Amino acid sequence: MRQLTSKPLALALLFIACGSPPAPKAPEPAQEGVESSTQIEPQEFVPPPRDAAPESIVRTQFVPSVAAIRPGGVFQVAMHFDIHPSYRLGWLFGGDVGKPTAVRFSAPPGFEVGSVSFTGPSRFTLSGGLTSYGYKQQATAFAEVRAPLELSQGSVHRFNVEASWLACERECVAESTEAYFELETDPNAAEGVFSPELQAALASVPIPLGTLTNARFEWRTAATLSISAEGVKWLEFYPASERLKAVVAASGNALALEFQSRANREDWVGVAKAVLGGREVFVDLRPLK
């Protein structure tokens, strides 16, 4: 696999470029009969600067789950974000502060790229009673790719990604990147998997509500939605947009969402965190087909 990913210049390189400071000169001995003195000039006080933003707030990595492409095969691509500890990234809906993180994957003609799925978000309560939805430390976006049945052995195929985001601390900084990798065709290519870190991230992508046992998605009124599934304990709701903020009531396996205004019954309303089978999962809340 041939890969090119944009990487910001590390701060350490700046220190290397500056080199070591020159060694101080030894003081010259005073001449006999001449009084030696050193004049100290007053220095203007300069307050220490505020903590400056790091040169690169977010580092990214664009990788596939396979080392080569099998004709007709299915594999995953991932855009991984490694976030500076002081900052956070927005989810698909950033909340009161921030904007959505955008990722667009593209592939050669004949390849089918599925919808982008992000790892489950977190809720951040900010000063002034504001709420933000997003990520600290790490985030990953995935998409499934299906190869065409007819591919020449040894042919090379290029896959691209474009991403943009807003990284926020006291202030927000806009960043973006473009990257690509190339994969060869090999009819005998093995089924691939990501690194353990990315496999763990893939496991935290929201699962469809329809995959849960006895799942129900019912509108009680134009602004009241009832969701339930067997064996689920609902914990938290993350709205998909500003107008889908809701008053949340969870009781057992039932989740009730009271929206601020009328909602479109065909819309994706967001995701919810829940306990299922003794572990925390994220559930994608879309109307059942």
Side-chain angles (χ1 to χ4, degrees):
M1 181 188 75
R2 285 174 279 183
Q3 183 177 25
L4 172 65
T5 304
S6 59
K7 294 183 179 179
L9 185 67
L11 289 176
L13 297 181
L14 300 181
F15 295 123
I16 294 172
C18 292
S20 302
K25 294 182 178 180
E28 297 182 0
Q31 299 179 12
E32 186 177 355
V34 178
E35 187 176 329
S36 176
S37 65
T38 302
Q39 183 176 2
I40 301 177
E41 301 204 359
Q43 299 289 324
E44 180 182 356
F45 172 74
V46 179
R50 290 179 57 187
D51 292 339
E55 185 176 346
S56 174
I57 297 171
V58 179
R59 296 180 182 273
T60 59
Q61 184 183 25
F62 178 37
V63 293
S65 62
V66 294
I69 301 172
R70 188 162 36 85
V74 177
F75 60 96
Q76 294 272 347
V77 294
M79 184 63 167
H80 182 69
F81 301 86
D82 190 7
I83 309 163
H84 186 279
S86 300
Y87 288 79
R88 65 183 185 278
L89 249 60
W91 178 53
L92 295 170
F93 170 52
D96 298 321
V97 179
K99 73 172 188 178
T101 295
V103 174
R104 187 174 75 87
F105 297 113
S106 58
F111 286 82
E112 299 177 9
V113 181
S115 58
V116 178
S117 299
F118 281 82
T119 47
S122 296
R123 179 193 301 269
F124 304 102
T125 301
L126 311 176
S127 59
L130 301 177
T131 299
S132 176
Y133 306 101
Y135 307 95
K136 293 274 283 185
Q137 305 291 334
Q138 294 183 341
T140 312
F142 296 93
E144 185 178 86
V145 180
R146 182 178 296 275
L149 291 173
E150 300 294 331
L151 289 175
S152 301
Q153 183 167 355
S155 57
V156 178
H157 309 277
R158 174 168 165 162
F159 300 84
N160 298 274
V161 66
E162 299 175 7
S164 60
W165 59 88
L166 201 64
C168 295
E169 189 197 25
R170 289 187 296 261
E171 299 175 348
C172 294
V173 179
E175 294 186 325
S176 63
T177 191
E178 297 180 4
Y180 74 86
F181 61 76
E182 294 176 335
L183 293 174
E184 291 188 3
T185 301
D186 181 358
N188 300 314
E191 296 286 344
V193 293
F194 287 118
S195 66
E197 179 185 45
L198 288 181
Q199 282 297 125
L202 184 59
S204 71
V205 168
I207 60 177
L209 175 65
T211 62
L212 303 183
T213 303
N214 294 328
R216 302 183 70 179
F217 186 99
E218 298 179 326
W219 288 98
R220 298 295 176 85
T221 70
T224 305
L225 176 62
S226 177
I227 298 169
S228 63
E230 188 176 314
V232 173
K233 179 183 178 182
W234 302 102
L235 300 177
E236 196 164 5
F237 171 66
Y238 305 87
S241 68
E242 177 70 28
R243 67 182 183 81
L244 290 172
K245 288 184 176 180
V247 176
V248 181
S251 177
N253 65 356
L255 177 68
L257 303 175
E258 184 74 33
F259 299 107
Q260 298 175 357
S261 58
R262 295 171 61 93
N264 186 334
R265 298 193 175 203
E266 301 302 316
D267 280 353
W268 171 57
V269 298
V271 302
K273 183 189 291 186
V275 175
L276 176 65
R279 68 184 187 94
E280 287 190 1
V281 298
F282 288 90
V283 181
D284 194 320
L285 303 180
R286 298 178 189 270
L288 302 174
K289 300 298 183 181

